[in-house]
Amino acid sequence: MKKIIIAIDGYSSCGKSTMAKQLAKRLGYVYIDTGAMYRAVTLFALQNGFIAKDKIDTESLHQALDTCHITFRMNEQGTPETHLNGENVESEIRSLRVSSNVSPIATLPFVRKHLVAQQQLMGREKGIVMDGRDIGTVVFPNAELKIFVTASAEVRAKRRYDELQAKGQNVSFDEILKNVQERDYIDSHREVSPLRKADDAIELDNSHMTLEEQDEWLMQRVSIFF
Ligand code: DC
């Protein structure tokens, strides 16, 4: 199987991860969820008391960052799960507490530098599907295939709401929508690596697409490489 790099960028909760995960499985590629890495650093900062009353103690976080080890391990279903210093944190990093604090953490240049270097190492052998915000622009500007995914904020909030409800987490739709909109704003307005479509990325708006339609769209773009 030919090995290429597939970069999938876009707004939060637009189904990037599900799409990237399935694609990697189908191609026998490695899947890396870079959002999970920013979330794991956020959890690390919360656990160590580096975030208090919405203020980040950046100096302490910077100093401690080398002791924040993020790895992905396959579960029994063959899906990668995020581990922070050996502990499975896959569920905890999706909580509203982490979601509400992750954007400011992701704006910190030293955090981005640290994680981007790890992501580039993970992709050095190619054969990888990586999703995030800056994969096609910063991490792998030479990726063979770049996809930029969008959907309306309301559609995305509804998807996240359903996901959290299914997990028994009781949160209001309005709170989620506000969180999605706030993250969109911070993600696309931050100074370092703001979310933007790479010039050579193909845009996919999946607001009104079924999963089957999206899958067909994707396979048409992927198949030209094989
Ligand atoms: O994809 P996600 O919602 O799990 O991402 C969590 C946060 O991390 C989000 O606020 C954007 C940020 N992020 C980033 O800045 N760069 C990436 N490559 C991936 C995520």
Side-chain angles (χ1 to χ4, degrees):
M1 172 74 84
K2 188 180 163 193
K3 286 187 169 184
I4 63 168
I5 292 180
I6 303 178
I8 302 186
D9 288 304
Y11 290 96
S12 65
S13 310
C14 58
K16 293 187 305 291
S17 305
T18 311
M19 184 171 133
K21 215 179 284 175
Q22 283 173 354
L23 183 59
K25 218 174 212 173
R26 190 177 292 192
L27 299 175
Y29 274 24
V30 172
Y31 163 64
I32 300 293
D33 173 359
T34 62
M37 298 172 79
Y38 289 92
R39 286 171 180 273
V41 170
T42 306
L43 180 62
F44 174 80
L46 286 164
Q47 283 174 346
N48 287 282
F50 301 149
I51 306 177
K53 294 198 184 100
D54 289 348
K55 272 206 72 153
I56 306 167
D57 177 353
T58 49
E59 210 175 301
S60 301
L61 175 60
H62 198 168
Q63 273 174 17
L65 205 54
D66 279 341
T67 65
C68 172
H69 298 292
I70 303 162
T71 48
F72 293 99
R73 293 188 202 158
M74 289 291 183
N75 66 14
E76 281 170 6
Q77 287 78 44
T79 309
E81 291 184 330
T82 316
H83 286 67
L84 171 60
N85 291 333
E87 188 196 344
N88 187 335
V89 293
E90 186 58 37
S91 173
E92 213 175 340
I93 58 168
R94 316 281 164 196
S95 66
L96 198 55
R97 180 167 170 250
V98 170
S99 297
S100 313
N101 285 288
V102 65
S103 277
I105 291 284
T107 63
L108 298 173
F110 64 88
V111 170
R112 301 206 71 85
K113 196 171 162 212
H114 183 79
L115 294 184
V116 166
Q118 290 185 13
Q119 291 153 11
Q120 287 171 336
L121 265 181
M122 290 167 175
R124 70 189 185 283
E125 313 254 310
K126 298 199 175 195
I128 194 165
V129 182
M130 192 173 276
D131 82 49
R133 302 293 188 286
D134 58 344
I135 313 306
T137 51
V138 175
V139 183
F140 296 119
N142 296 322
E144 286 83 355
L145 177 62
K146 300 181 186 178
I147 295 165
F148 189 82
V149 196
T150 66
S152 75
E154 287 73 17
V155 166
R156 289 182 286 131
K158 177 75 172 56
R159 289 177 188 161
R160 182 140 287 192
Y161 175 79
D162 291 344
E163 210 176 278
L164 291 175
Q165 287 279 315
K167 284 186 194 158
Q169 295 186 24
N170 203 12
V171 282
S172 81
F173 174 79
D174 289 347
E175 201 179 341
I176 306 238
L177 180 59
K178 193 167 152 257
N179 178 253
V180 164
Q181 287 166 332
E182 271 170 13
R183 283 202 290 152
D184 282 0
Y185 187 85
I186 301 179
D187 288 350
S188 47
H189 287 81
R190 66 176 175 227
E191 256 176 57
V192 193
S193 312
L195 171 64
R196 69 168 183 84
K197 178 181 163 295
D199 294 337
D200 51 351
I202 315 168
E203 187 168 326
L204 164 67
D205 182 342
N206 66 16
S207 303
H208 306 293
M209 270 186 179
T210 62
L211 283 178
E212 289 73 26
E213 285 165 348
Q214 174 172 289
D215 203 41
E216 198 184 320
W217 183 99
L218 191 61
M219 289 324 289
Q220 274 173 10
R221 268 78 192 172
V222 169
S223 58
I224 52 175
F225 291 94
F226 299 98

